[in-house]
Amino acid sequence: MKRQRIDGQETRQALLAAAGEVFAKKGYWEATNADICQRAGVNTALINYHFGSKENLYVESWKYIFQKSIEKYPADGGIPADAPVRERFYGQILSMMQRIADPANHDFDIIHKEMANPTGLLDEVIREAIEPLDQNFQSLIRELFDKTGTEKQVTFTHMIIMGQCFGPMLHLRRAQGGGDSPPGKKFPPDFTIEELARHIVQFSLAGISGIRKPARSLPEAPYSRLLRNHCKRKP
Amino acid sequence: MKRQRIDGQETRQALLAAAGEVFAKKGYWEATNADICQRAGVNTALINYHFGSKENLYVESWKYIFQKSIEKYPADGGIPADAPVRERFYGQILSMMQRIADPANHDFDIIHKEMANPTGLLDEVIREAIEPLDQNFQSLIRELFDKTGTEKQVTFTHMIIMGQCFGPMLHLRRAQGGGDSPPGKKFPPDFTIEELARHIVQFSLAGISGIRKPARSLPEAPYSRLLRNHCKRKP
Amino acid sequence: MKRQRIDGQETRQALLAAAGEVFAKKGYWEATNADICQRAGVNTALINYHFGSKENLYVESWKYIFQKSIEKYPADGGIPADAPVRERFYGQILSMMQRIADPANHDFDIIHKEMANPTGLLDEVIREAIEPLDQNFQSLIRELFDKTGTEKQVTFTHMIIMGQCFGPMLHLRRAQGGGDSPPGKKFPPDFTIEELARHIVQFSLAGISGIRKPARSLPEAPYSRLLRNHCKRKP
Amino acid sequence: MKRQRIDGQETRQALLAAAGEVFAKKGYWEATNADICQRAGVNTALINYHFGSKENLYVESWKYIFQKSIEKYPADGGIPADAPVRERFYGQILSMMQRIADPANHDFDIIHKEMANPTGLLDEVIREAIEPLDQNFQSLIRELFDKTGTEKQVTFTHMIIMGQCFGPMLHLRRAQGGGDSPPGKKFPPDFTIEELARHIVQFSLAGISGIRKPARSLPEAPYSRLLRNHCKRKP
DNA sequence: AATGAATGAGCCTTCATTCAT
DNA sequence: GATGAATGAAGGCTCATTCAT
């Protein structure tokens, strides 16, 4: 009993969506073709028929779900381009966090797994997708520095603000994922993404100000000198 | 031709170390016993002889490399307990980042992989190892708030400062791992861990001040109202 | 080069039959999947494809060969239900012995191996299959006692008549299996199953009569008293 | 820390005894050298040191436990050679059954496993041990026939009386072995070996009489003719 | 386009046996 | 005589992929 369709598009899409979910949940290596096809309700052989290989499906499915994800949560968070910079800053941060936090979205889960356990298969496609967003965000930070920051300060600040956004989201995703993994005491019992985003914005605006005109320069002495200095970077 | 050793401890340690490297590089599922034993230069069956199973080796090897790691980089960063709080803050952050950045250390790589793709095997042992450090750090942040912060503010701040530290380190580890041009395109060409740590401290101290007495409350209007509000939290 | 079949049933049956033979010959633990698949002429992985596991194949194959066996030798031996009890007695005994003796049948070999070396995997399925036959036979014995026997006498008699049937069959199976000179040194050179069955019936009918009205009670004295009395039964 | 002994005899015996128990419980293939040595409290390598191989240990251990067994329960059951034949008959049967039923004895368990699942390793040694007992018993049966029975009648009778003794013992051993395997409704709740032995003797004496002078010849007609006649014996 | 069957490579584990001490 | 460590050969099972239909 074959489920014959007009063309393969329906099957293709079912596979792309199912693959996104399974890859996001289990990662590339633990996910099996059988898993994916079962969830998609199609025959196992169709992955190779439509995509040629598991690797290809992996790439295609990430592109697919990332596109859906970015459509649902545009990068600017809906803030007009002529709004004050703080508003746009808040908009981008909130949008990013909402995109990650939405349990229906899986693109970030896969990115995270790729960072932890790279297959290398998504390197190029993720870079292409993320780079524009990244540069957008970085120029916004540069704007917040109001042309007073060095390049290095901007880069560092960019990196650590991204860390502020992603870090807590990892815990949130874990807490969402399995009902068993302890959310830990870290999460206040009643918090919203908006609240956290506002905390980050407030914290970071003050942080940037602190970088721009250090109230008191961070004391170099007396103990800091003692700190060991093991890892500079690979020669 | 049998390679006989004085006692099994030598082999045990070789396996623990090799396992740490391989698990850190490939993750639990991609790592094969053959990989590990080849790197340790021993017979495949010895994993089961010495540890009973791959799972057990995984747990034991993480405990082993974490202990080495924490010995090399003590949590306080060498700052005495009676030093000013800012010094101790810097000490903990630098120590944490150095511990992660050191290419000879693999404990964090495994933690990261566990967060992205949990096997569950390390849940208990990691929690036992990390919890004290975590609470130490959190009480330090509470101290920085000088009893003025709410519980939620402290928790949020803790979470995002951890994010500041880890976020950049993830990119650094990737840059170290692959043949990518070190220290990765994301990093300024002449950066050091100490420099970044100092940036984080300066940024965060200002951020905490900003949270404690907000210069101007973050503008709620007019655009913020437009922001969508999708994900609160699962009840 | 793939050997494609109309449907999997052909392969399934080939595996069930081959498994029956191999399990009967070697027992569960000595039998290897490779053995079975080689005999069935199929790929090793097909056991897991069709049955999920070696254990499952074991159970399914026993059910399969037992069904074939009982179809070939119905329990009543072809004697109508209204025939005299002695005829039905003979019928059941002969049928049972023929079923065991037939070199094409393997269900009893497996039962015997399970009794000697239980895997436990067939416990339920064998019990379900054997119980009705057993009760049938026991009620027949009760009928032969003509309501004069105690419950214990009936039970004992049932047990030892079964022993009469099985005991010789075990030797016969061994003689069939090995290159031993058939029908084995234990057997008269010109014996037939029917002849042995008739011997058992004649012997047992007399035995039952002897139990019902003991000609002379078995002498208790004088030596019997000397007999040691080690094993009563575990309390 | 080596447990040095004067000579290996102590270790040898410990291994022989432990091997007997383990082989009896698990059979040759499921029993592992590690099992046996653990129970004997000695090092794994000693099996090969003292016996050369697992196979050899198997043979030696059976000889060892059989000797112990036959010493404990002499074949004649303690009945003098000049006692009446019925007494001696009873003596041999009871002795045989007690030897099997004694939970401290394992020789029969191994014999049974060898019959069900022959390794072939014990063929010769068992035959040598059993043959004298067998011939003894057979000549006793011949005596009971009082020179009236044909050779075939004596052989058949011998075989089925052995079956009477062994059959019930198999159930008993199973019931003794694991507390979980259902003893089944077959066993009267309160029975003793002596009682059962007496039942067998009474039954068999009557049976032999029935063979010698059949009260009424077993009816050949009308149904017996219908009985199928599949398995004569292998050509 | 779609399916179920089939394949082969590879993984973790077990275990009798051997070796150096 | 005794020990702990080490070895290598399977064995059961998984899974991406291929093939005939």
Side-chain angles (χ1 to χ4, degrees), chain A:
Chain A
M1 56 180 77
K2 301 190 189 184
R3 184 177 0 172
Q4 200 80 15
R5 313 199 201 221
I6 301 305
D7 62 358
Q9 290 313 306
E10 203 178 335
T11 298
R12 258 187 77 95
Q13 299 240 344
L15 275 173
L16 287 169
E21 293 177 34
V22 176
F23 283 134
K25 189 174 171 195
K26 306 200 172 177
Y28 181 77
W29 292 107
E30 284 191 75
T32 68
N33 283 7
D35 271 351
I36 294 165
C37 291
Q38 191 173 0
R39 182 173 300 223
V42 306
N43 185 279
T44 318
L46 289 181
I47 283 184
N48 288 291
Y49 180 75
H50 281 291
F51 299 96
S53 69
K54 189 188 181 186
E55 296 194 352
N56 258 344
L57 173 62
Y58 187 52
V59 177
E60 294 304 316
S61 93
W62 189 83
K63 291 202 287 197
Y64 178 78
I65 62 179
F66 178 75
Q67 183 199 335
K68 298 261 177 193
S69 178
I70 205 74
E71 277 170 9
K72 193 167 177 185
Y73 299 97
D76 57 13
I79 304 292
D82 57 355
V85 60
R86 297 179 175 209
E87 290 286 342
R88 280 178 286 132
F89 185 56
Y90 177 56
Q92 287 208 16
I93 285 182
L94 180 60
S95 158
M96 185 159 55
M97 293 177 70
Q98 282 178 326
R99 189 156 61 241
I100 297 174
D102 187 338
N105 276 8
H106 299 299
D107 51 333
F108 176 74
D109 292 328
I110 294 182
I111 290 184
H112 185 212
K113 284 178 168 53
E114 272 295 317
M115 293 193 65
N117 215 342
T119 64
L121 300 170
L122 300 184
D123 281 358
E124 192 179 359
V125 67
I126 287 183
R127 194 171 42 70
E128 281 173 8
I130 297 299
E131 214 158 62
L133 304 181
D134 234 36
Q135 295 199 344
N136 217 343
F137 194 58
Q138 178 148 351
S139 67
L140 210 137
I141 289 169
R142 208 183 311 273
E143 202 175 339
L144 285 170
F145 265 97
D146 200 13
K147 301 174 201 295
T148 68
T150 67
E151 194 58 25
K152 190 184 277 186
Q153 283 174 332
V154 170
T155 306
F156 279 177
T157 304
H158 181 196
M159 289 197 301
I160 69 180
I161 292 180
M162 295 295 281
Q164 287 178 7
C165 298
F166 290 155
M169 291 298 98
L170 299 186
H171 294 282
L172 180 61
R173 294 304 277 184
R174 270 203 96 177
Q176 286 173 348
D180 50 347
S181 59
K185 301 160 194 166
K186 288 190 170 183
F187 270 82
D190 56 343
F191 92 100
T192 63
I193 301 291
E194 289 80 4
E195 204 173 5
L196 179 54
R198 224 171 288 129
H199 184 94
I200 290 176
V201 167
Q202 193 170 356
F203 186 94
S204 294
L205 291 178
I208 290 175
S209 296
I211 296 291
R212 289 175 63 186
K213 35 182 160 68
R216 290 172 287 169
S217 72
L218 188 72
E220 185 72 23
Y223 302 107
S224 301
R225 261 172 302 158
L226 307 174
L227 289 169
R228 265 150 321 133
N229 195 355
H230 279 106
C231 169
K232 289 252 184 339
R233 58 189 174 91
K234 283 213 302 206

Side-chain angles (χ1 to χ4, degrees), chain B residues 44-88:
Chain B
T44 319
L46 287 181
I47 284 184
N48 291 302
Y49 179 73
H50 283 289
F51 300 96
S53 68
K54 187 188 181 186
E55 294 195 354
N56 232 356
L57 172 61
Y58 187 52
V59 177
E60 294 304 317
S61 92
W62 189 83
K63 291 202 289 196
Y64 177 77
I65 62 180
F66 177 75
Q67 185 198 336
K68 297 261 176 194
S69 176
I70 205 76
E71 278 171 7
K72 193 167 177 185
Y73 300 99
D76 58 13
I79 304 292
D82 57 356
V85 60
R86 295 174 176 214
E87 291 285 341
R88 282 180 284 131

